[in-house]
Amino acid sequence: VKLGKQSSFLGRLRHFVEIIDPSTLFVSQEKLQECIKLLDDYKHGTLPPGTTDQQLWEAQKIKQAIIHPDTGEKIFMPFRMSGYVPFGTPIKKLWNPLSLLSLSSTQWLNQSHNACVNYANRNATKPTPASKFLQGYAGAVTSAVSIAVGLNVLIQKANKLSPATRMIIQRFVPFPAVASANICNVGLMRHSELSEGIDVLDNNSNVVGSSKIAARHAIMETALTRVVLPMPIFVLPPIIMSYLERWVLRFLQRNRRLLLPIHSVVCLITFGLSLPVAISLFPQMSQIEVSCLEPEIAMATDCKVVTYNKGL
């Protein structure tokens, strides 16, 4: 089952909307094995009679949502892209900026989850020793939490500044701070790819060689998706909540306890919409011209373009 539709942004968006479907979190091991077998039968031309295209697409959706394309192993449920929103949103809603201890611990949980998602969905064509994983995790979480906590301390101190300065800090500082934390997280969790390189494939999916330049492209593209990801989360919930409070003002005034649940649902929906948009910016299986890579790659193939798993 080919995925040619992923050459366009809209094709990738439709694809990733299916891949991040939370219902795939509840697929049993038996069902997963059935899907893998069905796709193997398709590959070898031994499909059971009566198999429909719909069954094949469903099998592919389930496999791609659960199985890592490089290792062929199951991704742990909370760290799959289909688990990013369901498991990540409750952590974000624990955020209490009034308490430095609460803020630090919540941000540690949040950035730990981000780090594990980044690692679980990396390019895994080269094995990563446990020591490198721990180094990356410590660096990623420490830097990201420091940025996030520093941001909130800055915003709290802004209350003592002039109204104009306070407004500038509160409106324009959070997004670049979160984006910087996300970039640090991706870069440090996947830093071993930069030193080891990642496999690049020819037109027949044969490994041509290992490229550090392709690894750099893969990490840069993934980091850009993490910059775009929080944009709607910063912009949409405040706008939606202001309209809701205006339209149902009397109801909310009588039921103030509903404000938090409503805001949580709005954030959940916004996060769920922004995730497929962000990860659709680049194909997961990206292409790069051989002339842009190391000379030994060019010498090893006649192809002008090679493919690599960017990761998600």
Side-chain angles (χ1 to χ4, degrees):
V1 185
K2 298 293 184 183
L3 286 174
K5 294 189 295 181
Q6 290 189 57
S7 57
S8 69
F9 172 77
L10 287 177
R12 292 193 296 272
L13 183 61
R14 285 194 291 269
H15 167 70
F16 283 119
V17 164
E18 291 193 344
I19 296 303
I20 67 166
D21 179 358
S23 69
T24 59
L25 296 171
F26 304 103
V27 171
S28 66
Q29 180 66 23
E30 183 182 0
K31 175 67 173 175
L32 175 61
Q33 291 304 318
E34 286 177 8
C35 292
I36 293 172
K37 184 179 184 305
L38 189 65
L39 293 172
D40 285 342
D41 289 345
Y42 172 82
K43 186 178 179 181
H44 297 110
T46 57
L47 275 177
T51 303
T52 64
D53 286 348
Q54 181 61 36
Q55 287 174 307
L56 287 170
W57 282 109
E58 182 68 16
Q60 181 170 259
K61 167 187 169 178
I62 290 171
K63 181 182 176 182
Q64 292 187 336
I66 297 173
I67 301 295
H68 194 287
D70 293 332
T71 64
E73 297 176 357
K74 286 177 67 175
I75 300 173
F76 186 45
M77 188 187 294
F79 308 146
R80 298 173 197 164
M81 277 299 162
S82 55
Y84 201 3
V85 174
F87 287 93
T89 304
I91 295 173
K92 288 171 174 58
K93 292 311 296 176
L94 290 171
W95 193 334
N96 176 13
L98 299 178
S99 164
L100 190 60
L101 178 62
S102 171
L103 173 64
S104 301
S105 58
T106 303
Q107 276 301 308
W108 171 75
L109 280 173
N110 180 38
Q111 293 300 337
S112 292
H113 183 242
N114 289 345
C116 290
V117 169
N118 291 333
Y119 181 78
N121 294 278
R122 73 198 186 284
N123 178 297
T125 52
K126 296 285 186 293
T128 304
S131 58
K132 285 203 171 185
F133 166 77
L134 292 173
Q135 287 173 11
Y137 171 78
V141 174
T142 301
S143 60
V145 170
S146 299
I147 291 170
V149 172
L151 157 70
N152 276 272
V153 170
L154 178 64
I155 288 176
Q156 287 176 11
K157 289 187 175 180
N159 292 328
K160 302 172 184 176
L161 302 174
S162 66
T165 307
R166 184 168 65 245
M167 184 190 73
I168 290 172
I169 290 175
Q170 289 176 339
R171 287 192 178 182
F172 297 108
V173 171
F175 172 70
V178 169
S180 300
N182 288 349
I183 291 171
C184 286
N185 202 314
V186 171
L188 289 166
M189 284 309 298
R190 295 180 56 177
H191 74 288
S192 64
E193 295 172 37
L194 295 172
S195 57
E196 300 291 331
I198 60 175
D199 287 351
V200 291
L201 313 175
D202 63 15
N203 297 334
N204 298 315
S205 298
N206 297 316
V207 176
V208 174
S210 184
S211 171
K212 295 179 182 178
I213 296 173
R216 191 162 68 240
H217 278 263
I219 292 172
M220 285 173 59
E221 289 172 352
T222 305
L224 277 173
T225 67
R226 299 305 194 271
V227 172
V228 173
L229 179 58
M231 281 183 184
I233 301 169
F234 276 101
V235 175
L236 294 180
I239 295 173
I240 294 171
M241 288 304 295
S242 66
Y243 275 105
L244 284 177
E245 288 176 15
R246 202 177 305 165
W247 291 339
V248 288
L249 183 61
R250 289 182 182 175
F251 174 75
L252 288 176
Q253 281 179 338
R254 291 196 304 267
N255 301 274
R256 301 298 295 177
R257 288 177 296 180
L258 291 177
L259 268 177
L260 183 59
I262 291 173
H263 187 260
S264 299
V265 170
V266 169
C267 289
L268 178 67
I269 293 171
T270 306
F271 191 9
L273 293 174
S274 64
L275 179 60
V277 171
I279 61 178
S280 298
L281 291 176
F282 304 98
Q284 181 172 3
M285 298 305 294
S286 292
Q287 294 186 322
I288 188 170
E289 292 185 5
V290 171
S291 58
C292 299
L293 300 178
E294 293 87 345
E296 57 267 27
I297 300 292
M299 293 170 63
T301 181
D302 295 327
C303 296
K304 292 186 177 180
V305 175
V306 289
T307 305
Y308 60 92
N309 175 20
K310 170 186 69 67
L312 290 177

